[in-house]
Amino acid sequence: MCSSDLPDSVLPTIRSRSLQFHFAPVSVEQIEDFLRQRAPDKKAAERDRAARLADGSPGRALEIDLEASARIRQSILRLLHRAATGEKYGEIFAATAQLAKQEQESFENVLRVFYSLLTDVLEVRHSPRSILLRNPDLHQDILRLGERVDWLWVSQATRGLDELESRLRRNISRPLALDAVMASLAVD
């Protein structure tokens, strides 16, 4: 049995002999109920945070290390803020190198966090008091970033991340590719 979030990363010979199933994301409320049953030791706030970060996957919600997740999300948010405020390229590149070295998280998960935070930036630009954030524990930091950037900046960031993600299969240098995306977002 083979399971993958990225079916294109599975060898074509295996993929041709496999059935693909696409599941709709599970609601945050349903994941919280699932966690209440499967992880009764988690506090309500932890269940809520895990459910929001799981992108609709109950299994991912069970596996999330909330402390590690908080560290990586804060690192990525600081990196986005550095690019948006036009910090020196050397500081941005040092931060991307540190982020690319994260061994606890796959690079694909790092990209997923970027997308999650950028979605929240768009949400707070539209509605600063929104309760729909995926990262509500970072609301104030996301709000500050949202005040500095516009939807064109977020769109440029998303396009850069999309391109980076599509090139991952070609064995590119992840730190250099991430440097290029952040440099393209840096405001002079």
Side-chain angles (χ1 to χ4, degrees), residues 33-163:
D33 289 341
F34 173 78
L35 290 174
R36 197 173 292 111
Q37 295 170 8
R38 295 296 275 290
D41 56 317
K42 286 190 185 219
K43 297 176 184 168
E46 293 172 333
R47 285 192 304 267
D48 177 65
R49 193 171 325 126
R52 289 176 186 273
L53 295 172
D55 290 331
S57 170
R60 191 174 296 139
L62 273 176
E63 296 172 354
I64 287 178
D65 176 345
L66 292 174
E67 287 181 26
S69 171
R71 282 192 301 274
I72 193 114
R73 290 180 301 121
Q74 288 168 346
S75 294
I76 292 171
L77 195 54
R78 277 193 303 272
L79 177 58
L80 288 169
H81 197 270
R82 285 178 173 160
T85 57
E87 282 195 25
K88 297 175 186 170
Y89 286 118
E91 293 174 15
I92 292 172
F93 295 161
T96 58
Q98 186 68 26
L99 188 59
K101 289 180 187 175
Q102 295 286 335
E103 294 175 15
Q104 304 94 326
E105 289 289 329
S106 71
F107 196 73
E108 290 78 8
N109 285 342
V110 168
L111 291 178
R112 188 177 290 135
V113 173
F114 268 104
Y115 287 120
S116 172
L117 291 167
L118 290 170
T119 300
D120 283 354
V121 168
L122 285 178
E123 182 64 32
V124 298
R125 288 216 25 96
H126 175 69
S127 177
R129 297 183 195 278
S130 175
I131 59 168
L132 302 176
L133 298 183
R134 294 179 178 181
N135 303 278
D137 54 319
L138 300 174
H139 184 265
Q140 290 303 313
D141 295 325
I142 291 168
L143 190 57
R144 276 194 292 280
L145 179 59
E147 291 168 350
R148 294 204 57 93
V149 300
D150 58 13
W151 70 271
L152 287 171
W153 187 92
V154 174
S155 177
Q156 182 179 347
T158 303
R159 276 194 311 275
L161 293 170
D162 289 346
E163 189 173 320

Side-chain angles (χ1 to χ4, degrees), residues 11-26:
L11 291 172
T13 55
I14 295 171
R15 197 172 53 238
S16 70
R17 293 171 177 83
S18 303
L19 293 175
Q20 288 190 25
F21 293 95
H22 301 279
F23 297 100
V26 177

